[in-house]
Each structure stands twice: as structure tokens, then as C-alpha cells.
Amino acid sequence: MKLLFLISFSIVLAGCEIGYDPRVEVNPKAPVLEITNFTDNPVFFYAIAKEVADTTQLANPCDEFDPNLSPNTTLDFPYQNITGYTEETVSVFFLWTNCKGQNDSDTYPLY
């Protein structure tokens, strides 16, 4: 009986994705943000100048989910496309979500 339990438990563990870390990475490489979606789902991302983000109430992107980054792809996103970007902008607030429980946000220096 114990052997059957151990075999069953091992089969269950083998089916799990141990160590799976769904993420979107951002690498500032002036004059673009290199954005890579390592997830298996399309995601919505938003990049906003940090000083603007500090004073802005952002809408919930899942209310009308419109992904702008395909699964397992990389995009070069020009600094000029960052909401509120000016030549004085030194950092960007970046958020992403797939509206399925995977999401994150962080601030990145541009230079």
C-alpha cells in the first residue's frame, strides 16, 4: 500500500511545473526598453514616466483586457512611447498582467 502511494505521489509531482516562474522582463537599453514576455499567455503592459505615475490613478487593465505583447516574444519599446516621457525622465514605472493572476510592476532607471 505504501509503495502504491509513493508511486502515485511521484506521478503527481512529475506533472507539476516545478520552478516555473512566469515573468515579463524589462531591460532599459537607450533609446528603447527591451521587453520580453516569458509567459505562455499574451499580456498587457504599461510604461509610464515615474514622476507621472506618482500622481496618476491608473485604470484596471483587466476591465477591457487588450494584450499588447504576445507570449514568448521580445519587443523594443521606444522611450518616446513611454507615457509622460521627456528628455528629463530618469526612470519608468512598468506594469504587466495577463488578467489570469500573473502580474507584476516595478520601477526601472532609464540610464
Side-chain angles (χ1 to χ4, degrees):
M1 184 66 167
K2 287 182 183 180
L3 180 59
L4 181 59
F5 174 76
L6 288 175
I7 291 172
S8 299
F9 187 70
S10 297
I11 291 171
V12 169
L13 282 181
C16 295
E17 292 186 56
I18 298 172
Y20 177 63
D21 180 24
R23 68 191 185 289
V24 173
E25 286 186 359
V26 177
N27 294 304
K29 295 182 177 180
V32 300
L33 295 176
E34 183 182 84
I35 305 167
T36 303
N37 178 3
F38 288 100
T39 75
D40 293 331
N41 296 297
V43 301
F44 170 81
F45 74 87
Y46 194 61
I48 183 169
K50 176 71 168 93
E51 57 274 5
V52 175
D54 289 341
T55 60
T56 303
Q57 174 93 24
L58 300 176
N60 182 346
C62 297
D63 288 345
E64 294 181 25
F65 184 60
D66 186 19
N68 53 5
L69 188 57
S70 298
N72 301 299
T73 58
T74 298
L75 170 72
D76 285 340
F77 190 75
Y79 284 3
Q80 290 81 12
N81 291 352
I82 297 171
T83 301
Y85 175 82
T86 67
E87 290 182 9
E88 289 79 37
T89 301
V90 295
S91 61
V92 61
F93 175 74
F94 183 89
L95 66 87
W96 68 271
T97 183
N98 64 7
C99 294
K100 295 180 180 183
Q102 296 172 334
N103 57 72
D104 200 3
S105 63
D106 207 347
T107 301
Y108 300 89
L110 295 180
Y111 303 99

